[in-house]
Amino acid sequence: MSKNRENIFRVKTRKKRNKKKLLFFLIIPLSLLLVATVSYGAHVYKTAQEAANKSYEKFERDGGRSALRDESVTPVDDNVSVLVIGVDDSETRNEGNSRSDALMLATFNKQKKDVNILSIPRDSYVNVPDYGYTKINHAHAYGGPRKTIDTVENFLNVPVDYYVRLNFEAFIEIVDTIGGIQYDVPFEMNELDSNDNQNAIQLMPGYQNLNGEEALALARTRKYDSDFERGKRQQEIIKTIFKETASASSILKLDELINAVGDNMSTDLTFNEMKSFMSYGLNTDLAINTINIDGQGSKMQDGIWYYQVDEQSRSEIENTLREHLDLPVSSAWQN
């Protein structure tokens, strides 16, 4: 790759080696269910299994696979991808399908035993199949997880093998159940709470304990920096949450945590498929690479603000993720 391309690509990577901080910092529901499978007693295991079964939604696709796959794959034997969709289905906002508020695509490589995580800005200007160009977060409002998956695949040319859809109520309940999180708030902020109450969340800069509502408000706000920085902040907050949920004190609250997730999650992963990801989590040398896509925000002719994705960056990321899944990449990228 040329120096110019390296400058344009600017993939942000971080690698940690403490397995408690590793695999599922962006996939809280899976992490809790998996922690339960290796934790105390048959009761917790059964609770996790029941929560997973309740959350399971069969996802019908032609041939039982992504249109970008020639053959079906499973996390037991293959390199796979998981799309995490964060949505707001609160009573004040839920009018049919809501827009997605967070989109993260994770690719898992069994040979390298590492994970790539791409955060997709919610305002990215993309083509939503059958609807035309608009913000990527509109796809979920148009057709739920299916349309979101179609849009992400069309945008990146990377197969989405599985999805996890998480309601923000789960986020709030998880943080409150573990007694809040310690986090260094970067700026003073006044925000809505999850029920759209004005200025209900007021925070000053500095290291402090955040409850569920406060952590969610900080993760979602875009008024004080940018969509790009927001994506990175979400990654850091969720890593902090997972670190705490994996601690000894929180293990004793697994029943409550799992129930919070089970009531607010849907996924096409079965419980057995979720358990198969443990091969990554038990690897102490596992590497996590977090990726952010370059671009810039601006208003277009319709007067609406969009995140204009840099095409060179998008193309480079497409090939990085496809290579990670052991799929063919562009010959131009390889030169």
Side-chain angles (χ1 to χ4, degrees):
M1 189 186 302
S2 69
K3 288 185 177 180
N4 286 338
R5 288 189 177 183
E6 289 176 356
N7 289 336
I8 293 173
F9 193 25
R10 291 184 226 154
V11 173
K12 315 294 184 183
T13 64
R14 265 184 231 151
K15 298 182 180 180
K16 305 256 180 203
R17 298 202 177 270
N18 182 337
K19 70 181 180 182
K20 284 186 177 179
K21 299 179 183 178
L22 289 177
L23 181 57
F24 295 105
F25 63 82
L26 291 179
I27 311 176
I28 290 176
L30 297 186
S31 70
L32 293 175
L33 296 174
L34 289 168
V35 167
T37 68
V38 293
S39 295
Y40 63 94
H43 172 67
V44 173
Y45 184 95
K46 184 179 179 181
T47 300
Q49 187 173 33
E50 290 175 350
N53 291 340
K54 182 168 62 174
S55 300
Y56 178 70
E57 288 188 357
K58 190 173 182 179
F59 190 56
E60 297 288 352
R61 292 198 276 190
D62 292 341
R65 64 180 186 271
S66 165
L68 299 178
R69 291 281 194 184
D70 293 329
E71 299 178 347
S72 297
V73 294
T74 70
V76 177
D77 303 311
D78 305 295
N79 304 330
V80 299
S81 65
V82 178
L83 181 66
V84 182
I85 308 169
V87 297
D88 181 358
D89 281 344
S90 63
E91 292 181 2
T92 55
R93 300 188 185 198
N94 188 17
E95 299 177 0
N97 280 326
S98 58
R99 298 174 183 178
S100 59
D101 202 70
L103 281 176
M104 304 173 195
L105 182 62
T107 59
F108 299 79
N109 187 285
K110 293 190 73 69
Q111 291 74 40
K112 297 178 180 177
K113 292 296 182 186
D114 66 351
V115 183
N116 283 343
I117 306 284
L118 169 67
S119 180
I120 306 173
R122 56 168 281 171
D123 290 336
S124 297
Y125 186 67
V126 304
N127 181 26
V128 177
D130 302 321
Y131 289 89
Y133 279 87
T134 185
K135 295 182 179 183
I136 198 168
N137 71 328
H138 291 185
H140 190 268
Y142 295 148
R146 177 181 293 275
K147 184 59 66 177
T148 303
I149 289 170
D150 290 345
T151 301
V152 170
E153 289 189 332
N154 185 68
F155 172 50
L156 292 173
N157 192 34
V158 174
V160 174
D161 299 311
Y162 300 97
Y163 81 92
V164 174
R165 178 184 180 274
L166 181 65
N167 188 302
F168 285 125
E169 285 299 315
F171 183 102
I172 294 171
E173 288 185 35
I174 289 168
V175 174
D176 286 341
T177 298
I178 62 178
I181 60 170
Q182 293 293 318
Y183 195 83
D184 189 6
V185 178
F187 38 65
E188 180 180 355
M189 57 175 280
N190 291 279
E191 279 291 341
L192 304 170
D193 63 12
S194 62
N195 294 313
D196 287 347
N197 295 312
Q198 293 285 340
N199 297 320
I201 308 298
Q202 299 183 359
L203 296 174
M204 297 298 292
Y207 195 71
Q208 57 198 278
N209 185 271
L210 304 179
N211 63 29
E213 285 279 4
E214 292 167 340
L216 180 61
L218 181 60
R220 298 180 68 186
T221 188
R222 293 178 295 161
K223 296 192 302 187
Y224 306 96
D225 42 27
S226 67
D227 210 23
F228 183 83
E229 292 299 323
R230 176 180 181 267
K232 294 195 295 182
R233 189 167 63 252
Q234 287 178 346
Q235 291 172 342
E236 291 300 318
I237 289 173
I238 296 177
K239 278 201 296 184
T240 302
I241 294 170
F242 180 62
K243 177 182 176 181
E244 181 57 35
T245 60
S247 69
S249 60
S250 293
I251 290 294
L252 299 177
K253 302 173 182 176
L254 270 177
D255 278 15
E256 297 174 60
L257 291 168
I258 291 168
N259 286 327
V261 167
D263 291 338
N264 295 285
M265 180 181 79
S266 63
T267 179
D268 60 344
L269 281 162
T270 66
F271 185 58
N272 285 335
E273 287 171 332
M274 291 179 189
K275 290 190 297 180
S276 68
F277 284 98
M278 283 306 296
S279 62
Y280 294 90
L282 296 177
N283 176 19
T284 57
D285 292 325
L286 178 70
I288 294 288
N289 305 312
T290 60
I291 302 174
N292 294 284
I293 192 166
D294 286 345
Q296 59 182 4
S298 63
K299 287 187 177 180
M300 298 187 67
Q301 291 183 345
D302 59 5
I304 298 174
W305 193 96
Y306 297 94
Y307 187 75
Q308 302 278 354
V309 171
D310 180 274
E311 175 55 27
Q312 184 69 47
S313 177
R314 190 215 62 79
S315 179
E316 301 265 5
I317 290 173
E318 170 191 329
N319 283 284
T320 294
L321 297 180
R322 288 184 63 86
E323 182 180 49
H324 200 236
L325 293 171
D326 199 25
L327 293 171
V329 300
S330 168
S331 58
W333 182 78
Q334 293 174 312
N335 293 334

